[in-house]
Each structure stands twice: as structure tokens, then as C-alpha cells.
Amino acid sequence: MQSRPAGDEVPQRIENKNTEKTENSEFQSFIRYATGKNLPVFGADFFQNTPSSFAPLQNTPVPSEYMLGAGDELLIRAWGSLDVDYRAVVDRNGAISIPTIGNINLAGVKASDAEAVIRSSIAKLYRDVTVNVSFGRLRAITVYVVGQARKPGSYTVSGFSTLVTALLVSGGPNAAGSMRNVQVKRNGKVQGSLDLYAFIAKGDKSSDIKLQDGDTIFIPAAVGHIALTGKVNTPAIFELKTANESISSVLDLAGGMPVVADPRRAFLERLDPSKSQPRTVEEFALNGAGLAKTLKNGDLLTVTAITPDFANAVTLRGNVNQALRVPFKSGMRIRDLIPNRESLITRASVQRQNDILLQQTVDGLDEKKENASSLSARIGNLFDDVNWDYAVIERIDRATLNVSLIPFNLGRALDTANAEDNLQLQAGDAVTVFSQNDIRVPVAKRKVFARIEGEVNVPGVYQMAPGETLQSLVAKAGGATSNAYLFGTEFYRDKVRAEQQVNLEKTIRRLESQLRTESAKSTANQSGADGQLAALKVKSEQDSGMQALARMRELKATGRVSLDLSANDENTDKLPQLKLENGDQLIIPSRPDFVHIFGAVNQESSVIWRKGTTVEKYLANAGVTSEADVEGIFVLRANGTVLSSTGRGWFSSVSSAEVMPGDSIVVPERLNKETTYKSVINGLKDWAQILSGFGISAAAIKSLRQ
């Protein structure tokens, strides 16, 4: 037997940390086996986290229709010809007794009428008396919950509790109980019934019944259950109110169907244990006849989703201003889908145009500031070039589901309405437009914008015809000036830069692997006290090697291509016949006045270039240290090449070579042959040639020694 506190205490939603988990019914388990989905029972969550205790309601208004009975407390005050301040409790006979007034019968009197009844009784004895009646502690009543209840028993609740309140206290129906026909029995008769679905789904509480002391709440077994899955607003297991409930009424309880549901296709699976094959399925539309179908216990109704397919649309995508899906019209052609060429200006192109005017905040001030390199790089690259020779229609044959590609010449299709390439479209077609970057076109059809700077008469960015060379670019720029230093000409290409960067990263990974391998070998060969000291030395050198590799990772390939020009070349006709590509950059510097020396020298410096001076003379002035590897000296020439004498000795062509303006003389330190780490850390004579192949300058190589 369940018991609860008495008085004006009603169950409140106080969280129960020991919330009981309801077990799945047999039908729920069957649906999970059949569909793979664990569907909840509709309305069951209303009884989850039911109150584990009562919280008193202070200053709660008493309902006007509340019937007074034994145990109710009234606070009576009167003034005038009679002063009364009295707390009265209705006795078991239904009356209260007021001194000097006598007994007043209040059994069955509504709370809203209590003051009038008491005033009338006092008025019989006294005149000119003002009466005020309020309520104190109200009586508790006992009700019984039986049948298919989760927690059957007796419950003590507030005197103005309702059927819903008592159901919340008892935890509601169990897995077999009904939520649609909960009955209240009083004096052996059914006083009323409640359909909880009407309350939960629609908020209809009109059938909620005020309970009286001794009422019995009877929860009968459910008539049956059905499962609703697919594209419905509330997939769940629903209880049938009657054996002839329609699909329409159940869908109404579930909140109907979302817009993505396809009412043309619904599937009803039915169980009939009397047949040899108990499970059957039928397909129908949720039209008038379909919605009127009656459901039976054990049914599974599945509503399908609309296939997101357009039967009356044509799609345009790719290198266009905006991907579109437009309605198909009979006789529709390419020109109807793409009305003009402007519609093929992409959003990315428009964004690049807008970015030209973007302001950057510098030192708190808004300024139009553009990096010189990025500014010139934008020229000629604002718009994506359309591939006018090739576009394609992707078409599906709905009868066979075969996909076919129909290519056409986009330029001719847009130029002439009667052109053969202005193909007729079909519903469901997808037309794709490509840029010249999506599918590379022949060289003769590509745009070429090349940049030339330095000692030319008109530096700038020029549009070049396909096949034009470096000489053509110099000619367009008005030729070289008298100060041009052709030997130091720098040529950069984006494609080469990307390749160099990939190779540089591969080299760094190979070096790192080599470093780790040698570390493992050196550590394995150490033993004893001397071995520990050697191990510390190996560890220190390994850390230095890793730091060198970290600095190498910061290097970025430049994309410089050595033109292998001779120091005596002074005419631009000596430039190689190299065909230009879009984005190429040519820089012809003025002759520098310095030669750079760094490495194992007494003083790293930039010294004034003097004609005819050899490497040997420059190093004699700079002073080579005792740690210098004279056999490994090399020169990074201004033309991007490397002059070295590996294996030839000090009196080689390097020492006697004439140094040109802008050259860099590098003197490596002598290698320590005891470990491999020194060759990785200090081996500039080996790696300088490799790094120069990545277009990395002498200054960048110098940074590796820091």
C-alpha cells in the first residue's frame, strides 16, 4: 500500500534521481526486431521522473468548486456588533461550531459559497456584522489506483486533486495498461473516464475529474497498439482507443506528417496469427480512402519520404555566377538556360574584384594598402576564363537509368540561336560549364599574363600571345635600359615553385629519417661510462640537427629558374627561347656593387666588387679561419647557378674564378668525420647545390647556420 502526506499537499515535479526505467513491451521488442528502431510508447514520457515526494503548496488558491468536508479548516473573522476571530474545523458530521453562534452545516458546500453561508447564519442572531472567511489547512483524501497500473495501491492526496494528479503520483499505466480509457469509479459506478492522449497531444483537460475521498482509479488493459514509423512528426508506438480507429486519427495524434513525407506511398504491415504467413504488407496512398483505413492491434505503418528528385527542372552548375535549378519548359534549349555570357562570371571573380578595394587597418588607421607582389599578381587574374569549346549535358534515361554525357561547344551555342550546339534540353538535365583551370585547354588557347620588372624601359604586366618568349616580353616592355645587368636576371614560374616546394619537403623528410637512423645506430654502440658521455654528445648533436631541420622547414621555394647566362652576355637576345606561361615573372636588375662573403671567415661581410678580382683574393682579404673547409668553398652566382670545387682541392677553378657583382662566396666549416650529424648540420657544401635547385637564395642558406 502506498501512502502520502496529508493536508493541502499535492504532488509536484520534484526530480527523482532514482527514476525507474520502464521495460519494453513485447510489441516494442518486436518492432525493434522488425525495423531496427527502438520506438517509444507515445505518452509514456509524461510519467517519467514522477515526483518521489510531496511539496506543500503555500498560499495556493482554493478552487471555487471545491466541496467542503470533514477535516477542512476555516479562518473566520467578524466585526461590527460582534467580534469573532476563530479557527474552525469541519467535524465528521460536516459542521463547524462557532462560540455564541452555534453549529453551521458546511458539508457539501462549495468553497466559493462558504462565506455567504456563514454570514447568513450569523445574521440570524446579529445585525451590522461584517464577515470574512479564508481557508487554512484542507483535508486529505484517499484514493485507490488499481488495474494495469505501474504502482497500484492507495494514495493520500490533496482534497482538490484530480485524476491527472493521482495518475502522476502512481506512475501511470504499465506496459499493458491503457492511457485512453482511465476510469474513476465512485460508489460502484463509473463516474467518468479520461483519454490521456487528448490531454498529452492536444492539451484537452476537459475530461479530468475532481477526486473525492474513496474514489477508485481503474486502469484497464489497452485495446491494442500500433507502430508508426518513417516520415511522421512523432514516430512512436500508439495505443488504439477502439478496435476501429482510423489512420487519420493516429496521424493526428502524431502531429501529422512533415512536408518531406510522401503521401503517395505508405506501407502497412499487419500481423494475423491465424494465417500460415502471419506477416503481410500492403502499399497505398494516404488519400481519403487511405486515411480512412482502420488499424488493428500489431499493425506497423510506415510513411515514406519524398525523393528529392526534380522531374520538371534543369540544373546549371560549374563556372557560373550562381548554380541554378530552373523549371523545365517544353522546347527549352541551352540559350534559354544561359541567357548571356555575363551569367558565367563566377562569384569568385566578383569577390576578387571587390577585394581590390578592401581596406586594411594599419596602426589603427584605415588605409588602402596593397602588397606590390599581390597587386601585380591580381592583374589578368580577376576573372576565371571560361572553356568556350567544351561544356556538357548530363542526362539520365529514367526508363533504364543509363547516364549519358552530351558535350557541346558553349561559345557557338551562345552566339547563334540556330547553331547545332544550342541543344534542346530535357527535364532532369544537368548542364556543367568549365573554366580553363578545370580542364586544361591547349597552350594556344590559354591566356598569358607575364610580369617584367627592373631595368626595362616600361616595367609592367603584359598580355602575351601563346608561344611568345622572354625576348617578346622584353620587347613589349620597351627593351632593357643601359643599366641592365643581364647576368643577374631572375626568372620565376608558379608551376616550378610548386614542384620545388614538393621536392624541398621530400628532402627535409629524408634528412629527418637519416638523422633518426644514425641516432639509433650511435646509441646502440655506446656502453660504459665513456658510452654515457658519448651518448650525451650524440643527443646534443641530434637536437642541433633537429633545430637545423626546423629552420629548413621555414624555407619556401621561390620558383626561380636559372637562365644560365654568361657573365659576358649583355644583349637580351642571349635570353633563352623560353615560351611564357601565365604568371611568369622576369626581373632584370641593375648591376650591384657588392660581393657577399659568409661562412668560416674572420668577418662575414659584403665587400665592394672589383673587376677581375678572384675568389682567392676576396678570401685573402676576408681572412679564412682555421675551421674552414677550403676544399668545400663554393660560389652562388648571381645568375642562380653554383660554382663548386668538390674533390678538386683549393687550387681549383673556384679559387681562381673571377667573381661577378652580386655573387655570394660561401666557406663551409670543416666537417667532423666522427659523426654523421655534422654532415647534416654543417654540410653546406653538399646541400648548397641542392638548395639552389629549389631557387633558395644565399641569404636563406646563410640562415641555416644561425
Side-chain angles (χ1 to χ4, degrees), residues 66-138:
Y66 175 74
M67 298 291 187
L68 297 177
D72 289 338
E73 184 181 59
L74 289 83
L75 304 178
I76 305 168
R77 293 181 177 84
W79 58 92
S81 59
L82 175 70
D83 289 330
V84 175
D85 188 356
Y86 188 72
R87 183 183 297 267
V89 177
V90 180
D91 60 23
R92 65 181 57 189
N93 296 318
I96 61 172
S97 178
I98 302 176
T100 71
I101 302 299
N103 292 338
I104 302 175
N105 189 12
L106 294 177
V109 174
K110 293 182 179 180
S112 58
D113 298 332
E115 185 174 295
V117 171
I118 294 174
R119 183 185 298 109
S120 176
S121 298
I122 294 176
K124 293 177 180 179
L125 300 175
Y126 299 94
R127 294 181 178 180
D128 300 324
V129 177
T130 301
V131 178
N132 176 266
V133 176
S134 59
F135 296 95
R137 188 178 182 87
L138 300 179

Side-chain angles (χ1 to χ4, degrees), residues 319 384-391 408-410 433-448 466-467 495 580-582:
N319 196 85
D384 296 316
D385 282 349
V386 178
N387 187 339
W388 298 107
D389 296 328
Y390 177 84
F408 62 95
N409 187 294
L410 179 61
V433 177
F434 298 94
S435 73
Q436 292 187 7
N437 293 326
D438 296 328
I439 299 178
R440 296 194 64 178
V441 299
V443 172
K445 296 182 178 181
R446 297 179 202 162
K447 70 176 182 180
V448 177
K495 183 170 66 175
L580 294 169
E581 293 184 4
N582 190 47

Side-chain angles (χ1 to χ4, degrees), residues 414-476:
L414 297 183
D415 285 339
T416 308
N418 298 326
E420 292 183 1
D421 291 280
N422 188 23
L423 300 176
Q424 187 166 337
L425 299 172
Q426 295 182 9
D429 282 354
V431 178
T432 304
V433 177
F434 298 94
S435 73
Q436 292 187 7
N437 293 326
D438 296 328
I439 299 178
R440 296 194 64 178
V441 299
V443 172
K445 296 182 178 181
R446 297 179 202 162
K447 70 176 182 180
V448 177
F449 291 93
R451 173 181 168 189
I452 184 169
E453 298 181 65
E455 293 301 322
V456 290
N457 288 305
V458 189
V461 179
Y462 292 91
Q463 183 169 6
M464 309 300 294
E468 288 193 287
T469 63
L470 292 174
Q471 288 91 340
S472 305
L473 178 60
V474 174
K476 282 200 174 187

Side-chain angles (χ1 to χ4, degrees), residues 248-262:
S248 176
S249 63
V250 174
L251 285 175
D252 186 43
L253 291 172
M257 298 180 292
V259 68
V260 295
D262 188 356

